[in-house]
Amino acid sequence: MRRYVLNRLWQGAVAVVGALFIVFVAQRLSGDPVALLLPMDATEADFEAMRQALGLDRPLPVQFVVFLRDALTGDFGHSYLWNMPAMDLVLERLPATLELALAGLVFALALAVPLGVLSAVHRGGWIDNAAKLFAMLGQAMPGFWVGLLLIVFVAVQLQWLPAYGRGTVGHLILPAIALGWYPVAAMTRTLRSSMLDILQSDFVRMERAIGLPERAIVWRFALRNAAVPLVTLIGVYFANMLGGAFVIEVVFAWPGVGRAVVEAVFARDFPVVQAGVILAAVIFVVVNLIVDLTYGLIDPRIRHE
């Protein structure tokens, strides 16, 4: 177990450095941030002085090595746009993103688990067909489009919920639905497929033979054994929600990490983008490690060697 965890942590560290290298190079290709920081009447000498002050006059390999060295000490640079430490800004916005991601995950599970189980139990029936249709709609409609539809119909026309901002539970409902809409489809189909296999297994037949109630067989025993692939999806989608909720946060003006990173990209605020990417990469690695270790708790037959 110890060697397995250390190996996964090493792989995660390599993945984080790789992600940082890609975003580092991509940002430098997007243009010179000094052009957005100085006024129109700035001279060439002003440009050179600003580049030297920000360390942008050095060769790119040197800039990357310096960035990695500073990152290991917890220094991710100073935001050009917000004039504060970049990681402090990202961590300040993190609770809002965590709140939205958890709400989106709860919404997805609240629909996917009963739909997947009932679809498998009533295979070929109207519940199964309705779940398949709902899954197809979920995969065909991207989250930002669902968000715009919710704003138009629920917030603007019906005026049931606020369309933007953060503060109350009402502000959370629409962005959570938009964020959790797509995972519902994949979770429903995965759980349905896994439940169908479990319901046809020998131990389920034995439980039926000894007279256990069908409700207990389905929800207590079959669901637990069918949950392993679902746990994988939960970890992957939760990590994606934390690191990929940029569009939803922009659509609903949600003050999270994603919105800050998007604004930083347009402003060429390199430190904030880099801090946001490294935080998202670390969260993704940690969540996937936790998911892998959880397998053994759900199914005792799984052991990490």
Side-chain angles (χ1 to χ4, degrees):
M1 171 69 79
R2 180 181 178 183
R3 188 167 67 176
Y4 173 81
V5 173
L6 292 176
N7 185 49
R8 289 302 306 271
L9 290 175
W10 166 250
Q11 294 175 359
V14 173
V16 170
V17 174
L20 281 176
F21 177 76
I22 292 173
V23 74
F24 181 88
V25 174
Q27 284 184 110
R28 268 61 184 181
L29 294 176
S30 67
D32 187 1
V34 176
L36 300 178
L37 297 174
L38 292 177
M40 296 292 293
D41 58 350
T43 64
E44 187 62 30
D46 295 331
F47 277 86
E48 291 299 326
M50 180 64 76
R51 291 192 185 96
Q52 290 180 7
L54 298 177
L56 300 175
D57 60 325
R58 304 174 182 178
L60 286 181
V62 175
Q63 292 185 41
F64 185 67
V65 171
V66 171
F67 167 69
L68 285 181
R69 181 199 66 193
D70 293 340
L72 291 176
T73 64
D75 182 9
F76 293 89
H78 212 77
S79 170
Y80 309 153
L81 183 62
W82 286 275
N83 193 29
M84 63 182 297
M87 186 53 74
D88 289 352
L89 172 67
V90 171
L91 293 177
E92 183 181 284
R93 301 288 188 94
L94 182 59
T97 298
L98 283 172
E99 179 184 340
L100 178 58
L102 286 172
L105 183 64
V106 169
F107 168 77
L109 288 174
L111 287 182
V113 171
L115 281 177
V117 172
L118 293 176
S119 179
V121 172
H122 303 283
R123 182 179 183 181
W126 70 269
I127 296 179
D128 189 18
N129 293 328
K132 290 179 182 178
L133 177 62
F134 187 80
M136 286 194 320
L137 287 176
Q139 292 185 324
M141 300 173 64
F144 75 89
W145 177 247
V146 174
L148 293 175
L149 291 178
L150 290 173
I151 290 175
V152 171
F153 292 106
V154 178
V156 177
Q157 294 189 2
L158 298 177
Q159 297 184 357
W160 286 351
L161 295 168
Y164 61 90
R166 176 181 180 235
T168 66
V169 176
H171 289 88
L172 181 62
I173 294 176
L174 294 186
I177 294 174
L179 186 61
W181 179 267
Y182 184 83
V184 171
M187 291 179 181
T188 300
R189 296 177 64 177
T190 299
L191 185 58
R192 175 186 182 274
S193 178
S194 183
M195 283 289 296
L196 286 175
D197 292 337
I198 297 298
L199 290 174
Q200 296 172 4
S201 62
D202 292 336
F203 89 91
V204 170
R205 294 192 185 97
M206 182 185 69
E207 289 171 346
R208 285 173 176 154
I210 63 177
L212 286 179
E214 187 68 18
R215 182 186 297 268
I217 294 174
V218 171
W219 293 100
R220 184 177 176 183
F221 299 105
L223 178 59
R224 179 177 179 180
N225 286 271
V228 172
L230 179 62
V231 169
T232 302
L233 283 181
I234 290 173
V236 170
Y237 278 114
F238 181 65
N240 287 337
M241 287 175 180
L242 287 174
F246 295 179
V247 177
I248 300 301
E249 290 187 358
V250 171
V251 169
F252 289 94
W254 189 264
V257 176
R259 186 182 175 196
V261 171
V262 170
E263 293 174 357
V265 167
F266 286 109
R268 297 175 190 165
D269 192 345
F270 295 167
V272 173
V273 177
Q274 291 165 170
V277 168
I278 194 172
L279 181 64
V282 169
I283 290 175
F284 192 89
V285 169
V286 172
V287 169
N288 278 276
L289 177 60
I290 293 174
V291 168
D292 288 345
L293 297 178
T294 305
Y295 290 160
L297 298 177
I298 297 176
D299 191 345
R301 295 171 299 176
I302 299 175
R303 290 292 181 265
H304 299 291
E305 300 296 339

